[in-house]
Amino acid sequence: MSPTDPPPDEQQPQNGQPRTFLDLKDTVTVATDTLMEIQDNVRDAIDARCMSVIYGDAGLGKTYGTEAALKQVDPQLLLTLEFTRSRPGPKDVREALFHQLHLPGVMPGEPTKMYRVLTEALPRRPYVIVCDEAQQYKRESFEYIRRLWDTGPEKTRATIIFVGGKEAYDTMQSDPALASRIHIRQEVLAMSEEEVLRTIPNFHPVWNGVDPEHLRTLDIRFTRGGFRNWVSVTAHAIKGKKLLKKKTIDSELVEWILRKC
């Protein structure tokens, strides 16, 4: 199969695409092995209503892959915890869940009352709680989320998906109570050279028909299989192609891109 001629079932339409670094337009979600594994694991986690973790180094596509996998979930059931402050603690988690659940009335200021409100609200629907950038969480935040998950009947538990760096995984593994409750684990690794050559020509039209040697050069000298790095390089390629009035990406443009990175 030619990498420039993928079958329709290996791509997702632009409509409803997950976010990319730099909000790059005209990208296509290519069904890489990593993406398919994330989709399988997210689906299995939701079916089991369990706790799971997707972890790895920064810029490898953990968040992108998870968002792509969650596109089929009812948005009203997704509780995505995102924090503007670093090192969010249990108080931040409580407040985020209260607002994400759209609970009526005034948010209780007393932690015990707030905990009771959340443990009553969460079992009502099959919620999926997504904890992105989990490497920033305080240990107490992981413990609080575990306690929320533990409370109530197994059949009505929320699904918990932690997404973060290896620090998050190490923190969870160091806590026996939490580690024993993680049902699904996936480490996301950088793309191999073979996967880069198969994926990038389908990721954005600017790479269609480009000499594989140019992709290898960019991967060896800068991207190193990192998904976020490839998004950055793609943005430079689009701009450079117009600026240098190139019909396609050649050696001169590759060097121009590398000077920008």
Side-chain angles (χ1 to χ4, degrees):
M1 181 191 306
S2 168
T4 58
D5 187 25
D9 62 350
E10 284 206 357
Q11 295 185 354
Q12 294 182 12
Q14 177 70 23
N15 222 359
Q17 287 283 93
R19 296 172 298 172
T20 61
F21 175 58
L22 303 176
D23 289 326
L24 200 63
K25 296 180 180 179
D26 300 322
T27 59
V28 174
T29 301
V30 185
T32 64
D33 293 342
T34 296
L35 181 62
M36 296 305 291
E37 186 178 0
I38 291 175
Q39 289 183 338
D40 287 344
N41 285 333
V42 167
R43 188 182 305 113
D44 290 346
I46 292 172
D47 289 343
R49 300 178 77 93
C50 70
M51 300 179 73
S52 64
V53 57
I54 298 169
Y55 70 99
D57 291 337
L60 299 184
K62 301 181 299 295
T63 298
Y64 181 90
T66 303
E67 288 186 355
L70 291 169
K71 284 298 179 182
Q72 303 305 315
V73 177
D74 182 348
Q76 296 187 51
L77 299 178
L78 281 178
L79 308 178
T80 303
L81 304 188
E82 297 179 331
F83 302 100
T84 55
R85 59 174 291 180
S86 61
R87 306 295 292 165
K91 181 176 182 292
D92 301 294
V93 173
R94 291 194 296 269
E95 292 178 354
L97 285 172
F98 184 88
H99 294 300
Q100 287 276 310
L101 286 162
H102 302 289
L103 296 177
V106 178
M107 181 170 59
E110 211 278 318
T112 302
K113 291 182 180 179
M114 185 64 173
Y115 182 79
R116 190 180 307 118
V117 168
L118 293 177
T119 54
E120 289 175 356
L122 285 171
R124 291 174 182 165
R125 303 187 70 190
Y127 289 109
V128 179
I129 301 176
V130 182
C131 304
D132 199 7
E133 301 294 343
Q135 73 277 359
Q136 297 185 11
Y137 285 27
K138 291 182 179 179
R139 180 180 291 271
E140 295 83 0
S141 298
F142 289 113
E143 173 65 16
Y144 188 80
I145 292 168
R146 180 194 66 77
R147 287 176 55 216
L148 285 175
W149 183 82
D150 269 348
T151 304
E154 291 185 14
K155 292 184 178 179
T156 60
R157 283 175 175 164
T159 301
I160 311 290
I161 301 174
F162 292 106
V163 184
K166 290 182 179 179
E167 303 94 327
Y169 179 75
D170 291 342
T171 299
M172 286 185 272
Q173 286 299 105
S174 68
D175 182 338
L178 183 57
S180 65
R181 287 163 173 78
I182 301 296
H183 180 53
I184 297 174
R185 297 167 171 81
Q186 179 182 350
E187 182 178 10
V188 176
L189 302 173
M191 290 184 288
S192 65
E193 180 181 290
E194 179 184 354
E195 194 166 18
V196 166
L197 297 181
R198 186 173 66 246
T199 301
I200 298 306
N202 299 326
F203 171 64
H204 192 280
V206 75
W207 302 113
N208 291 166
V210 172
D211 187 333
E213 287 304 315
H214 297 325
L215 299 178
R216 287 193 183 94
T217 298
L218 289 165
D219 195 50
I220 290 170
R221 293 174 59 182
F222 177 68
T223 61
R224 300 178 184 85
F227 182 78
R228 188 180 299 160
N229 284 342
W230 271 109
V231 175
S232 181
V233 163
T234 299
H236 288 311
I238 294 168
K239 183 175 181 180
K241 194 175 176 182
K242 292 180 180 178
L243 188 65
L244 301 181
K245 298 179 180 178
K246 298 284 188 180
K247 292 184 178 180
T248 188
I249 296 187
D250 57 15
S251 298
E252 181 187 8
L253 183 49
V254 166
E255 293 301 323
W256 184 90
I257 292 169
L258 288 169
R259 287 197 297 273
K260 292 285 186 179
C261 297

